[in-house]
Every structure is written in C-alpha cells, then in structure tokens.
Amino acid sequence: MQKSQDHAYPTHWEADVVLRDGGTARIRPITPDDAERLVSFYEQVSDESKYYRFFAPYPRLSDRDVHRFTHHDYVDRVGLAATVGGEFIATVRYDRINDQGLPAKDPEDDQAEVAFLVQDAHQGRGVASALLEHIAAVARERGIRRFAAEVLPANSKMIKVFTDAGYTHKRTFEDGVVRLEFDLEPTEQSMAVMRGREQRAEARSVQRLLTPRSVAVIGTGRAPGGVGRTALRSLLDSGFTGRVHAVNHAFPEGMQRLDPEGVPAVRALREISEPVDLAVIAVPADSVPDVVRDCGEHGVQGVLILSSGYAEAGPDGRERQRDLLRQARSYGMRLIGPNAFGLINTAPGVRLNASLAPQMPGAGHIGLFTQSGAIGIALLSGLHARGPGDGGIAGISAFVSAGNRADVSGNDLLQYWYEDPDTDVVILYLESIGNPRKFARLARRTAAVKPVVVARGARHNGTAPPGHAVPTVRVPDSTVAALMRQAGVIRVDTVTELIDAGLLLASQPLPAGSRIAILGNSESLALLAYDACLTERLRPQRPHVLTSAATPDDFRAALAEALAGDGCDAVVVTAIPWVGEGAAVSPGGGEGAALAAALRTAAEAHPEKPVTVVHLAMDELAETLAAPAPAPAPAPASGPDAPAGDRAPRPEDPAPAPARPPESAPPPRSPSQPARPLSPPGPPPTLAAPQPAPARDPGATTPPPRRAAPVRIPAYPAAERAVRALAEAVRYAAWRREAADPGRVPEYDDIQEAAAGADIEHLLGRLTLDVPTGRSVPVPPEDAEALLARYGIHTRPVLAAPDPDTAVRAAARLGYPVALKTTAPHLRHRADLGGVRLDIAGERELRRTYAELTDFLGSPEELRPVVQSMVPRGVDTVIRAAIDPAAGAVLSFGLAGAPSQLLGDIAHRLIPATDREVAEQIRSIRAAPMLFGWRGSQPVDTAALAELLLRVSRLVDDHPEVVGVDLEPVVVAAHGLSVLGASVRLARPPATTDLGPRRLPVY
C-alpha cells in the first residue's frame, strides 16, 4: 500500500471523455475546494437515486459527509467527478478495504469498495461507465486489484454498469443486497467493451456536428463579403434543410432579418429562442472566448471555428488554443478548428455546407477529411472536375477540414465513417497524427470493412506544421508508410493519387488477384499500360490491340470477352479518338458517349471484376463514364389501376437503405443498371463480415455492408495513373483476404511475465533515481541478459578482456574456438575495420591476435575488448524493438551489416506481431533469399528466427517500460540460432496510453 503523503494532486487523472450521446464531460479528482459543488450536485439528485446510493432516505449531506467526500489522500481514498460547465453531474469514489470489508491498514490489502452517484438528468448518457473505466485505472495505479460494490436489487442500471464492463466478476446476494466483486485486470472483453463504447460515443459526437437541425453563424458581416457572410451564403446556397440564424453584436438595434438572404438576425445568441445545434464562429480570436461561453450557456452541441490567430501564430496562440479547447469541453461541446475551412454533409435530408467552399459538392459515397484548408479546396475541386453532380463517380458523403484540429481529428472521423452506411471510401489528408497508436488501431478496423486512403504532408522535415502540437516522428517516412500498409491503409504521396485511388475504390469491386487484361485501339497506349503494370508488380496479359477504326461495338465485344475469361482479375481499357468510314458515330460527334455506353453494357454483365479506362483527348468519354447512369423508363404498375409508384414491393426489389440520422436518407443511387458489388464473390475480402478479425473489437457497432451502385467507370488521362490506382486496389484486396486470418500471438510456457515485471520495477527503481521523467536508461549487460532470459531469449556469454591474461582465462572458461571483439562504440559490429577476430583456436593465437588488435586499433581501455565462444556458421541478422512517440511500438528485422545499415533493407511490424505477420516480415526484406538457400547455400532455421521475433514482440507488448531492445548480431544457422549481442533500455511508461481508459487527446 502506498503512502498518501507521497502523492500530491494527480493532474494526469484529469481527462475529457465523450459520452454516449456525443456530448463531452470532464473527469477529474475531487478536491476540498469542491464542497459547494458537491452540495449543489446532491441537491439536484432525486430521492430515489439517493436511496439507491445510501440504502436509506438521505435527503442532505452533513458537514461531516461533505468533508469526507471532498478530502482524499489519492491512494487509499479517491473520489472522481464528472463535470459539465464546471458543475458536477456524477461522482465515484473508492475506499481501500481488507478482507473483512473494514478500512485497510495492511500494505498488502488490494481490494476497494466503490460507489457511484449520477444526477438523474444525466443518467443514460454513459457517465457511470466512463467513470468506472477511470476509477479502475486509478485503482490499478495505486496497487488495488479488485473492486467490491453493494447494490440494491432494484438498482438495475448500476448493476448493469458493473456487469457489462467486461471484467471477470462474481455476484452474490445476501441480506437483500447484491454484492459484486470483480478483478480490475483488463481482459480482452473489457478492452473490447471500452473500445466499442468509445467508437459509438465518438461517432455520435461527429454525427451531431454533421446533422444539425439549426445553425447560427456568429460573426456574419453586415455587408457582403467576409468570412462570416461567405459561410452564411454557403449554408443557404447548399439548400440546408434546417434553420439558419445570423448573429453579430454590431447589427442595429431592432434588426430582425438579414437581407438579401432573408434569414433571422440577432445581436446575441441568447436572443434565439430555440435550440442551436451548431455554431459557426467567424469573429476575431480575441472575441472567440466570449462567443464560446455564450454557446455553452445556450446549450450548443458543437462549434466550428473559422477564426485564425491560434497555434499557427506562435507560442501565445498555442496557449490561446489550449484555453479555447478547455473552455469548449467544459460545456460538453466538440470543436472543429480553429483555423478550420469547414464541414459539409451532402445527405439530402441535411444538405449542410458550413464551409468556405464556393459550391456544394455532389452527393456520393466518399468521406473526405483534411487538416489543410488549401488541400481541402484542391481535393473538392479535383473531385468536382472528375464527376460533378449528385450520384457522380466523385460525389462525397461528408467533408471535414479541421484546420489546427485542436479537438475533432481524423481519428474521430474514422470512428464515424466506420459505421456510416453512406461512406464507401475514406480519404484522409494528414499533416500530423496526434494519437498514432489509436490511428493505427482505428485505421486497421475501418480498413477491414472499407478502404482508407491516406496522403501525408510534412513527411520528411521531422516537425509538425504550425498549429499541430504532436510527437515528432523519429522513424523514417518509409517505415511509417510500411506500418500504415500493415494496418491496411492505402498510402499515397500526392493529392492527385488520393483522388485517383479514391475514385476507383468508390466505383469498382475489389480485384480477386493481380492478373490484368489490357485492350484498346492504340498499341502504344496499351504498351504504356503494360509497362506500368510490370512496374507496379502486377501480372499483365499481352495487350489485345484493336484497329484504330474500332467502333464502340468492337470495344464492347472485346471487353465482354476479357471479363468473361478466367485468366484476368481486372481490365484496363485504353482509348484514343477513332478513325474510319461508315461507322455509326462520326468523329467528334458523340463518340465518347457512344463508347461509354458500350463499355458500361459490357461491364454490367460481369460486375465482379473492376474496369478502368485510359483515354487520350476523349474528355467526353471520361465525363460520361463518371456521370450517373441514365434513369430507366418508369416501371409498369403492379395492377391494372395501380398508380405509378404505388405497388407492393417485389422479392427482386432492392431492400431499402437505412436512413441517415436524424431524418435524412442516403444520396439516391440510380436503379437503372444492375448492381455492381464492391467486392469479389466468395471468401474475403467481404464487406459484410460481422466483425473484422484484426479489429478485436466486438463491442463496437458493426457497420452494414456497402450497397451496390450503378455502373460508373473511372477514367484517367495517363496509363501510369490508372494502373497505380488499380495496383493499390489489388494490394488492398490482398490485405483484406489476409486480414480475415491475421494469425495469432503465440503463448510460450517458459515466459515468466510476472518475474520479468518485478525485475523491471527493481531496475527502474535503481537506475532512474536521478533521471528526468520520460527519459530512458540503458540496462547493464548482465541485467539485460537476465531480463531477456525471462522471455526465453538467451544470449551467448561475453567476458571482458582488459588484458591478454584475462582474455586467456576467459577463453579457457568458454572453451576454444573463441572470438575476440571490440565493444567501443565506433568499432562495435565492424568486422570490416578489424574489430572482430573469429575462430581463434588456442592461447598462442589469442595472445597474438590481442596484440595485433591493440597495436592496430588502440589501447585496451579505448577498445574494451571481450571474448565470446564461436557459434555455428549462418546468416547474421539484426532484431530491434523500439517505442516511437509517433509510430508506437515497432518490431524491426533485417540482415546485419550493409543490407540494413547501407541500403535500409529493414522490415517493420507493429507490436504485438502475430505469427503470420512475423513470417511475412522475414520474407519481405529484399535480401530474404539469403535466408532460403540463395545460390545453393544451405537454408537457415527461419522457424527459430520467427520464434525469436515473437518473443521480443511479447516482451515489449507485455511491459511498456521496455522502450528498446537491440539484438545484434543474431546468427541464424541451419539448425537454431545464437544471439551474440543484446541491449535493453527502460523508461517509466507515460501516465496514460491508448491502452488506458478512453479520453480525448489534448494537443
């Protein structure tokens, strides 16, 4: 049991959380200054809730009660409160007890009694569940391993809070009271429950921002122009279905309408008599705090801040941004911005354009998030050019440009789009990732059901853009890209590639393989496509070249033949303006539209295979292919007198899609063409899987399958662009198939996890006395060897040899033959510089070698030589694991020496790695053939190598204090392997991680 006097107010327990309805609350420790808040809170709780808490009528708190509930030692007695607007809405506390249920006095007591009280007006919002997550984390930090709670049987809501949490629990009934006891060690089920609640809450909070029923534009200018007036015009021009209010304190007294827009105008938000769901703020930064306060007091659900002058303006602006975020969250509001470009929702029941975009994008099924307003404009413009109008190939479902993203980020949008039935493809432009571990987790889960395409800005300078306070990435961008691909993310480099890949994935099914058929009326263009396929490691067939006079019917027949064949998984059609005599369409007279109709007809017959088009000087072809299919003729009535549209549904009719909340419906998709599924038939990738295996998140809402769309075919002006987009789809489809069976993290009987934890705690206590918090420390070699041995990782003994006589004694102890090596940093692992001498067979040779080494390279004090026994010959490899602040825990593997150091031939995987991922990791390096019998050499024991990688992964995953492991070299022989060098670094883990209770980040 820890001493209370050693613990001051624990600021790291403070957290902002999203509740079930999408609002936010702040969780923090209760202090003596909260006495009045506690009394006020208790007065607003119903008599029934008080009875459930104290098992008797308890109308008011005595002074003694108030003192007891507000004075804590933060060790044996802890109280947390959930607050909104600075006032309590719920409390939870624990008291450490012994086995008899009395106050604990023994340091070994590890049980506590826990109790909740939630204000009636806030019951049902998930406040108690959030408090339980946080109080459990606090208890674990203070050495408590079990909670006990006594609940009246009628208090079913509180019983459900405990039993639904996912912890291992025991339930008994005695003396009219239900007693619940549960372990606080997180389980797979408790983590899934927590992440499921997190997903639903954060998705709901974004949904509230995207589906407001009323919007107030605060800072609307009195004259045309300006940011506020532009945002107001965008709202009105988009056909927003809700109510709009213009707010400006400078409006004249008595002004009620703003003309020529004709919207209600007020001087202050409090003058609006109805609820306001979303406030668009366009006032100077100095005035924003007052506006946000007015929004909070009016009950606004979310604020979109277009104003600049925050973190992008320097240190003072960064502090102003933090204050703004604290203020918004204190009122339970989510915040987009500051310095944001805006948000858009194209659903017909909403039609929201709360942005500075000059026109409303077409409705479709691409979700778009950017941090940069300029890139947002470029993406919207690029998509509009490729397929304008509702239902076109480039239509979007929602768009958010978050600016400095002080609060709402790409992670929040991933939570929302994961379950949004009207978003088929997610496109993200990110300049920084605030919570990389969470991003990887959410991206992997989302990618298991729909494509996630990401482009990153500021990849190489090692710093975040102005306004983005995030950890700096220490690993190369190539490593970050590899880790993203492991999570199923489609990583591209440019805005153009974002659009190219997004259009193909939004309109075409996933290919079943990499076999590509190529056809067209230009041999040169077909050969460019063929070469591009080879560059992207696809398997193109010999191009089928039509004549330059080929008609649309010839294209239709050729495409139908290619799609019908068993030898291809996708088709690339190349087209140039045709020439010929006697054709149905004259050159320049609608040839693009005719060809588009022919290609669509052929594609409809084989909806399981993707088709893409490369064209030169045929803009009409691209425009027609991108547009919605023409509407069909009206269906006949089901009876002789039935009016059109008034008939009973037939079995062959498509099922109606669920409506988009709150009252909207998804963008209409034309029923004129047969539906094209968005994934190949048969086994994975499947878009309707009940819960993707890699997500490990059964508590989250399972998104419905994507619905079929009319045939739309993406067209590209260059073969390289079309093939690159198709290659991304091929790789993503392969990842989807593999993700259905991600492998497992093996259990090894000889791993001593608890003993390793005790060793780590002892080492940290010994090594970090004078080390600043967060700084890592190296573990002495003998301690590192002992710690690694706890996980079955055994290193070859190394004996110091400060002089020749000591070297001889060391060799005699180890047994000849031996190796003599220097351990000086500048010579370590440098056999090429003579710092490593091998196969020394006897004492005379050892003394001679020692003398040569010291004469040639320096004194023994400088070289720090060591002696080590020889191991069987094999391939020298290197294994590393490290915690990167931006990438998370990373497991790395490569061949030692030039391949990894000079060529960067290293493969990376996120920790924890599965057996399947490690097997792929070993084979993914370019030098992998050297492990499998290259040029007649003997293959090495890759099974032993895979096991070693998995053991290292387990060590780092089980113990977040292990921030670095370096095994070099690891000599992999034909049978077995030998670890010749090892180092370990430790650090105190951060107070909060992605594995802890859910919380909103603070940047």
Side-chain angles (χ1 to χ4, degrees), residues 245-271:
H245 304 270
V247 183
N248 190 332
H249 69 88
F251 284 157
E253 289 279 0
M255 181 176 175
Q256 295 183 345
R257 302 192 71 80
L258 179 67
D259 292 320
E261 290 84 358
V263 300
V266 296
R267 289 166 53 87
L269 196 64
R270 61 179 175 273
E271 298 177 21

Side-chain angles (χ1 to χ4, degrees), residues 29 325 382 474 752 981:
L325 178 60
R474 288 200 295 254
Q752 305 172 36

Side-chain angles (χ1 to χ4, degrees), residues 242-610:
R243 297 173 296 281
V244 180
H245 304 270
V247 183
N248 190 332
H249 69 88
F251 284 157
E253 289 279 0
M255 181 176 175
Q256 295 183 345
R257 302 192 71 80
L258 179 67
D259 292 320
E261 290 84 358
V263 300
V266 296
R267 289 166 53 87
L269 196 64
R270 61 179 175 273
E271 298 177 21
I272 301 175
S273 59
E274 61 186 23
V276 173
D277 296 328
L278 175 67
V280 180
I281 300 176
V283 301
D286 292 340
S287 302
V288 169
D290 292 336
V291 173
V292 171
R293 183 197 64 236
D294 292 343
C295 291
E297 293 175 352
H298 196 74
V300 173
Q301 294 181 351
V303 291
L304 165 64
I305 300 182
L306 307 178
S307 312
S308 59
Y310 287 90
E312 80 282 357
D316 291 342
R318 188 180 302 280
E319 189 57 37
R320 188 182 302 121
Q321 181 169 303
R322 292 193 179 108
D323 292 341
L324 170 65
L325 178 60
R326 283 192 290 267
Q327 183 186 24
R329 286 182 177 170
S330 73
Y331 288 106
M333 298 185 295
R334 297 304 305 268
L335 181 154
I336 296 179
N339 196 27
F341 183 72
L343 71 159
I344 296 172
N345 183 357
T346 63
V350 182
R351 301 294 298 176
L352 172 72
N353 181 7
S355 78
L356 303 179
Q359 60 186 359
M360 182 73 166
H365 300 275
I366 296 175
L368 187 58
F369 174 85
T370 74
Q371 292 172 353
S372 162
I375 299 300
I377 295 172
L379 283 168
L380 290 175
S381 176
L383 287 169
H384 180 78
R386 299 285 290 273
D390 291 348
I393 195 171
I396 69 169
S397 59
F399 164 80
V400 176
S401 181
N404 295 359
R405 63 133 184 79
D407 182 20
V408 173
S409 69
N411 284 347
D412 295 287
L413 271 297
L414 282 174
Q415 299 277 40
Y416 172 70
W417 282 323
Y418 168 71
E419 63 175 2
D420 179 28
D422 294 306
T423 299
D424 292 341
V425 178
V426 173
I427 292 180
L428 307 174
Y429 176 80
L430 306 176
E431 293 174 336
S432 61
I433 302 176
N435 189 338
R437 293 193 185 193
K438 183 175 180 180
F439 173 79
R441 170 168 60 85
L442 300 185
R444 177 187 287 265
R445 184 190 61 191
T446 305
V449 294
K450 60 186 69 173
V452 178
V453 190
V454 174
R456 282 199 64 207
R459 300 194 305 269
H460 301 296
N461 60 5
T463 60
H468 295 230
V470 297
T472 301
V473 181
R474 288 200 295 254
V475 297
D477 178 65
S478 58
T479 303
V480 176
L483 297 177
M484 281 191 175
R485 289 191 182 278
Q486 183 195 351
V489 172
I490 300 169
R491 169 73 183 274
V492 299
D493 294 326
T494 67
V495 171
T496 299
E497 291 175 355
L498 268 180
I499 296 173
D500 287 346
L503 292 183
L504 187 141
L505 291 162
S507 61
Q508 298 298 299
L510 296 178
S514 60
R515 302 169 302 174
I516 311 300
I518 302 170
L519 63 92
N521 62 348
S522 166
E523 182 177 13
S524 298
L525 193 54
L527 289 175
L528 285 175
Y530 183 88
D531 291 341
C533 287
L534 294 176
T535 300
E536 295 292 338
R537 300 185 180 183
L538 301 177
R539 297 160 57 195
Q541 299 175 357
R542 182 184 299 277
H544 178 191
V545 181
L546 306 174
T547 67
S548 58
T551 65
D553 281 342
D554 295 329
F555 272 91
R556 178 189 54 75
L559 178 57
E561 180 182 0
L563 290 171
D566 295 332
C568 84
D569 303 304
V571 180
V572 177
V573 178
T574 63
I576 62 173
W578 55 270
V579 293
E581 298 180 0
V585 181
S586 61
E591 58 183 341
L595 180 55
L599 296 178
R600 273 179 161 165
T601 299
E604 288 168 2
H606 299 278
E608 74 281 0
K609 294 182 181 180

Side-chain angles (χ1 to χ4, degrees), residues 37-371:
R37 292 187 186 89
L38 180 65
V39 172
S40 175
F41 157 73
Y42 194 76
E43 290 174 349
Q44 299 177 62
V45 175
S46 70
D47 291 339
E48 182 184 45
S49 294
K50 293 173 183 176
Y51 186 87
Y52 284 154
R53 169 64 177 85
F54 293 103
F55 298 2
Y58 214 88
R60 64 185 58 84
L61 296 175
S62 66
D63 291 343
R64 181 179 179 182
D65 291 331
V66 173
H67 183 275
R68 175 167 167 255
F69 293 151
T70 57
H71 288 69
H72 306 94
D73 60 15
Y74 304 125
V75 180
D76 299 334
R77 302 184 318 279
V78 173
L80 301 180
T83 68
V84 173
E87 299 300 322
F88 286 8
I89 64 169
T91 62
V92 62
R93 62 177 283 114
Y94 77 68
D95 293 271
R96 193 188 297 257
I97 58 176
N98 60 22
D99 291 339
Q100 288 74 44
L102 301 175
K105 296 181 180 179
D106 191 326
E108 299 302 318
D109 289 331
D110 61 357
Q111 186 175 198
E113 190 171 50
V114 64
F116 293 79
L117 186 60
V118 180
Q119 202 174 91
D120 294 67
H122 294 275
Q123 292 178 10
R125 300 184 65 200
V127 183
S129 298
L131 281 173
L132 177 57
E133 292 175 18
H134 284 262
I135 197 72
V138 167
R140 289 193 298 269
E141 181 181 332
R142 295 308 193 219
I144 293 172
R145 296 292 174 259
R146 295 191 313 280
F147 269 168
E150 293 186 346
V151 187
L152 291 175
N155 194 357
S156 57
K157 291 181 180 178
M158 188 52 61
I159 293 175
K160 186 174 176 61
V161 167
F162 290 122
T163 57
D164 287 356
Y167 296 109
T168 303
H169 68 276
K170 181 175 69 174
R171 179 173 175 171
T172 58
F173 182 78
E174 187 176 352
D175 297 331
V177 174
V178 177
R179 181 176 177 83
L180 295 162
E181 296 181 6
F182 49 98
D183 296 334
L184 297 183
E185 188 65 27
T187 65
E188 184 174 348
Q189 183 181 358
S190 69
M191 292 296 296
V193 168
M194 181 179 70
R195 288 176 173 173
R197 289 170 173 167
E198 172 194 63
Q199 186 271 326
R200 290 188 293 272
E202 293 181 1
R204 175 60 179 155
S205 72
V206 173
Q207 182 192 67
R208 296 203 315 178
L209 293 168
L210 289 172
T211 58
R213 290 162 295 184
S214 60
V215 178
V217 181
I218 305 174
T220 303
R222 289 177 290 175
V227 174
R229 196 68 173 258
T230 301
L232 181 70
R233 288 295 333 165
S234 296
L235 269 170
L236 299 176
D237 292 345
S238 67
F240 176 55
T241 59
R243 297 173 296 281
V244 180
H245 304 270
V247 183
N248 190 332
H249 69 88
F251 284 157
E253 289 279 0
M255 181 176 175
Q256 295 183 345
R257 302 192 71 80
L258 179 67
D259 292 320
E261 290 84 358
V263 300
V266 296
R267 289 166 53 87
L269 196 64
R270 61 179 175 273
E271 298 177 21
I272 301 175
S273 59
E274 61 186 23
V276 173
D277 296 328
L278 175 67
V280 180
I281 300 176
V283 301
D286 292 340
S287 302
V288 169
D290 292 336
V291 173
V292 171
R293 183 197 64 236
D294 292 343
C295 291
E297 293 175 352
H298 196 74
V300 173
Q301 294 181 351
V303 291
L304 165 64
I305 300 182
L306 307 178
S307 312
S308 59
Y310 287 90
E312 80 282 357
D316 291 342
R318 188 180 302 280
E319 189 57 37
R320 188 182 302 121
Q321 181 169 303
R322 292 193 179 108
D323 292 341
L324 170 65
L325 178 60
R326 283 192 290 267
Q327 183 186 24
R329 286 182 177 170
S330 73
Y331 288 106
M333 298 185 295
R334 297 304 305 268
L335 181 154
I336 296 179
N339 196 27
F341 183 72
L343 71 159
I344 296 172
N345 183 357
T346 63
V350 182
R351 301 294 298 176
L352 172 72
N353 181 7
S355 78
L356 303 179
Q359 60 186 359
M360 182 73 166
H365 300 275
I366 296 175
L368 187 58
F369 174 85
T370 74
Q371 292 172 353

